[in-house]
Amino acid sequence: DSGVTQTPKHLITATGQRVTLRCSPRSGDLSVYWYQQSLDQGLQFLIQYYNGEERAKGNILERFSAQQFPDLHSELNLSSLELGDSALYFCASSVQAGDVINEQFFGPGTRLTVL
Amino acid sequence: ILNVEQSPQSLHVQEGDSTNFTCSFPSSNFYALHWYRWETAKSPEALFVMTLNGDEKKKGRISATLNTKEGYSYLYIKGSQPEDSATYLCAHFSGGSNYKLTFGKGTLLTVNP
């Protein structure tokens, strides 16, 4: 158990809908990262937040957004969902910013299925 | 190398064999390289964080080396055990604090008892 929690574990929804995935980092970790893993793709980095502010952006679609709250939990919002958004979404946390040299601890993931 | 590539894609070895695999990455603007171990139905678990050219890290029977000038890292497993069976991922950070992060597609290792 990494100490990172993600909810829900599974989510099934329809095209065009909007969903919110939630992540709570390990106690003491200020950075949260979001990743997407689709069937044919490796892990794709979406976005990083540090202490409430966006820190780095990867391949995140405009239909997707994220935020980190004062209690450091983070939410990833996915809107206008398409079939291709079906994937496993991971959240990871690490200690601090400038933390590309620090290891990340991954949550169990949220499996999103768009029908 | 324009992308992050891992080889081989998969590997089958016998228990007790030693093995190694490669992560190749663009050598320009190197910032850091992470290795992760990912067992089926679990989450990736950090093995090593590597930042300096010539870095060598070791954790038990697993070790890694880094060559940032030529753009590669090797992961070695000595005396493989069935519990080492997993996908081994490398993650390449480039560009400094405003970084680009790219994961390789992994090497799937199967250790037969």
Side-chain angles (χ1 to χ4, degrees):
Chain A
D1 182 358
S2 66
V4 178
T5 60
Q6 288 187 249
T7 56
K9 197 167 178 178
H10 300 279
L11 197 46
I12 301 175
T13 189
T15 54
Q17 295 298 304
R18 172 190 166 96
V19 296
T20 297
L21 314 184
R22 183 188 167 107
C23 168
S24 293
R26 288 188 325 155
S27 176
D29 284 358
L30 298 179
S31 271
V32 169
Y33 304 76
W34 286 99
Y35 296 94
Q36 179 194 57
Q37 195 215 3
S38 306
L39 267 177
D40 296 331
Q41 307 259 349
L43 270 176
Q44 300 287 316
F45 168 59
L46 296 178
I47 198 163
Q48 179 204 352
Y49 276 81
Y50 167 70
N51 204 21
E53 296 198 0
E54 182 184 304
R55 178 63 191 248
K57 216 170 200 179
N59 300 324
I60 189 165
L61 298 172
E62 283 190 14
R63 299 183 286 110
F64 296 1
S65 65
Q67 53 184 326
Q68 187 179 27
F69 295 86
D71 68 352
L72 301 176
H73 90 270
S74 178
E75 292 180 357
L76 179 67
N77 300 297
L78 315 176
S79 61
S80 303
L81 284 166
E82 302 174 0
L83 296 177
D85 298 327
S86 296
L88 187 53
Y89 291 84
F90 283 107
C91 160
S93 73
S94 68
V95 174
Q96 61 191 16
D99 56 4
V100 289
I101 61 170
N102 290 348
E103 61 185 339
Q104 296 178 26
F105 295 86
F106 280 75
T110 292
R111 170 76 63 186
L112 173 67
T113 303
V114 182
L115 300 175
Chain B
I1 293 281
L2 297 177
N3 220 334
V4 179
E5 296 171 6
Q6 291 190 245
S7 61
Q9 271 189 323
S10 64
L11 195 52
H12 289 253
V13 301
Q14 288 299 124
E15 183 174 353
D17 286 351
S18 292
T19 187
N20 65 86
F21 17 94
T22 307
C23 172
S24 302
F25 50 84
S27 55
S28 60
N29 280 329
F30 177 85
Y31 197 51
L33 189 93
H34 292 192
W35 280 100
Y36 289 89
R37 180 172 177 273
W38 194 357
E39 289 183 70
T40 304
K42 293 190 176 178
S43 307
E45 180 187 326
L47 286 174
F48 302 115
V49 171
M50 310 186 82
T51 55
L52 299 174
N53 185 42
D55 252 355
E56 290 189 28
K57 298 276 175 99
K58 187 172 180 182
K59 189 183 279 192
R61 294 179 292 98
I62 306 178
S63 60
T65 62
L66 179 66
N67 184 324
T68 61
K69 306 253 183 260
E70 295 181 42
Y72 65 83
S73 177
Y74 293 141
L75 190 78
Y76 301 90
I77 302 179
K78 187 177 174 182
S80 303
Q81 300 296 309
E83 57 265 30
D84 296 329
S85 298
T87 295
Y88 291 83
L89 290 175
C90 65
H92 172 248
F93 294 77
S94 63
S97 57
N98 184 21
Y99 60 83
K100 182 181 174 193
L101 166 55
T102 308
F103 276 80
K105 294 198 171 175
T107 292
L108 174 59
L109 174 67
T110 305
V111 182
N112 299 311

